[in-house]
Amino acid sequence: MKFFKMAKKALMVSFTAVLLAGMMAGCGDEKKETSTGSGQIQDIQKIKERGVLRVGVKNAAKGFGFQDPSSGEYTGMEIDLANKLAKQLGVKTEFTAVTAATRTGLLDSGDIDCVIATFTITPERKKSWDFTTPYYTDHVGVLVQKSSNIQTLADLKDKTVGVATGSTSAKALVEAMIKAKLIPADSYDAKNFDPSTWKTGVQFKQYNDHPAISAALSAGEVAAHCVDKSILAIYHTPDRTFIKEEFAPQDYGIVTRKGSDLSKVTEDFVQACLKDGTIKELEKKYGI
Ligand code: GLU
């Protein structure tokens, strides 16, 4: 008898819960549509309500994300991709210039919805953010003053190299120098590598952005500027040259918060752009 009473009570409690949940869901039917109940971050609804997709982009990577200093207008493959993605969502774009040092903070805080900014996909980064399939692959290069007579990786031995804080560049250079047998492999531990303390065979100075590294190169504060060639292009003035080697392929993906419902949308978007020739078209348009 007692058992039946308890069962009846439990049934009533769960019935009330279902009723309540139904009523609550009824308050926002549209939200119900996007809710998965599995802890997914609901970004798409917010973007649509706002009418704006906020995108972190580069402002000095010609052909990728470049802001005209006089008109303020942004151009480049990544800008076009952002505009196409926004159009698909039925909203406008708002661009925020980001650097390797600022992009993830702005994404985590919700100041921006996604990053399309020469952002390299790496296994470590994938643990913290969602990355799409790559839409472009670049390589890391090294820019030096012609007068320095540095021509190869070997010439970089024991030099100080300028890199951007939070970038893949220092690690890429050390790994390339190890491969070229310029640095002993046993001195390197990929997991604990820190550009600020590395002193074996080459050392680094970290800067917040690339204009600062370029100025440091002119001032002789660093012997070289190391980053993806797409980013170096704008700093390749007649008095400068690239060293012979380029290395460490850098796959660029669109980056979203881990578990965001925007992640699947961006992935499907990149897949479609690769398939229908949009990416090829944009590479041609921007000569990249
Ligand atoms: N592809 C490089 C990275 O993701 C870019 C570095 C930079 O933007 O300075 O680390």
Side-chain angles (χ1 to χ4, degrees):
M1 194 61 197
K2 201 174 171 207
F3 169 78
F4 281 116
K5 249 190 176 166
M6 272 170 67
K8 199 174 152 198
K9 200 173 167 194
L11 215 85
M12 273 178 70
V13 168
S14 56
F15 177 71
T16 316
V18 168
L19 207 83
L20 262 170
M23 277 162 67
M24 278 162 73
C27 299
D29 271 336
E30 282 182 42
K31 276 202 180 84
K32 202 176 106 197
E33 265 177 30
T34 54
S35 170
T36 62
S38 61
Q40 195 180 50
I41 305 171
Q42 306 297 311
D43 278 327
I44 295 174
Q45 191 64 32
K46 275 189 239 152
I47 293 162
K48 288 193 173 165
E49 275 165 12
R50 195 194 300 135
V52 175
L53 177 70
R54 298 185 299 204
V55 189
V57 294
K58 281 293 175 92
N59 66 357
K62 271 212 166 135
F64 293 85
F66 181 77
Q67 188 177 28
D68 186 302
S70 46
S71 71
E73 202 200 322
Y74 279 96
T75 52
M77 177 198 216
E78 296 178 327
I79 305 302
D80 287 2
L81 286 177
N83 285 331
K84 282 178 198 290
L85 176 62
K87 197 172 166 199
Q88 187 183 299
L89 289 165
V91 298
K92 293 194 175 350
T93 37
E94 183 186 286
F95 296 119
T96 299
V98 299
T99 65
T102 65
R103 58 194 175 188
T104 52
L106 289 166
L107 189 60
D108 291 345
S109 64
D111 283 299
I112 53 178
D113 302 308
C114 62
V115 183
I116 316 181
T118 65
F119 203 149
T120 303
I121 305 163
T122 70
E124 301 94 72
R125 288 172 176 173
K126 271 176 136 175
K127 286 183 199 153
S128 306
W129 302 280
D130 284 336
F131 286 76
T132 64
T133 292
Y135 55 83
Y136 189 86
T137 302
D138 195 22
H139 283 82
V140 174
V142 180
L143 194 64
V144 295
Q145 293 294 139
K146 278 183 182 162
S147 58
S148 73
N149 227 8
I150 295 170
Q151 290 168 7
T152 64
L153 269 182
D155 297 334
L156 283 177
K157 192 90 209 287
D158 298 326
K159 297 281 193 291
T160 301
V161 177
V163 292
T165 307
S167 71
T168 49
S169 317
K171 204 170 181 183
L173 181 61
V174 167
E175 286 178 4
M177 289 179 79
I178 290 171
K179 225 174 171 179
K181 306 228 178 320
L182 298 164
I183 295 176
D186 58 9
S187 59
Y188 178 70
D189 168 14
K191 273 209 178 82
N192 296 312
F193 175 76
D194 179 357
S196 64
T197 52
W198 184 264
K199 299 273 180 285
T200 313
V202 66
Q203 55 185 25
F204 299 97
K205 261 196 175 175
Q206 297 188 87
Y207 297 83
N208 282 337
D209 58 25
H210 293 286
I213 307 177
S214 185
L217 182 60
S218 293
E221 229 174 79
V222 292
H225 183 172
C226 175
V227 73
D228 312 3
K229 284 189 128 177
S230 62
I231 296 168
L232 283 177
I234 194 171
Y235 308 106
H236 186 194
T237 45
D239 56 333
R240 293 177 175 172
T241 184
F242 287 108
I243 67 160
K244 204 181 85 208
E245 298 92 339
E246 58 173 34
F247 43 89
Q250 303 286 303
D251 286 336
Y252 297 159
I254 299 182
V255 191
T256 44
R257 278 179 282 281
K258 195 140 202 78
S260 167
D261 57 355
L262 188 59
S263 306
K264 180 166 170 25
V265 171
T266 52
E267 174 60 21
D268 292 348
F269 169 74
V270 170
Q271 293 277 5
C273 289
L274 286 164
K275 215 166 161 194
D276 71 7
T278 301
I279 299 290
K280 281 235 151 59
E281 217 173 85
L282 290 175
E283 285 176 0
K284 219 164 127 197
K285 177 176 172 188
Y286 292 104
I288 56 175

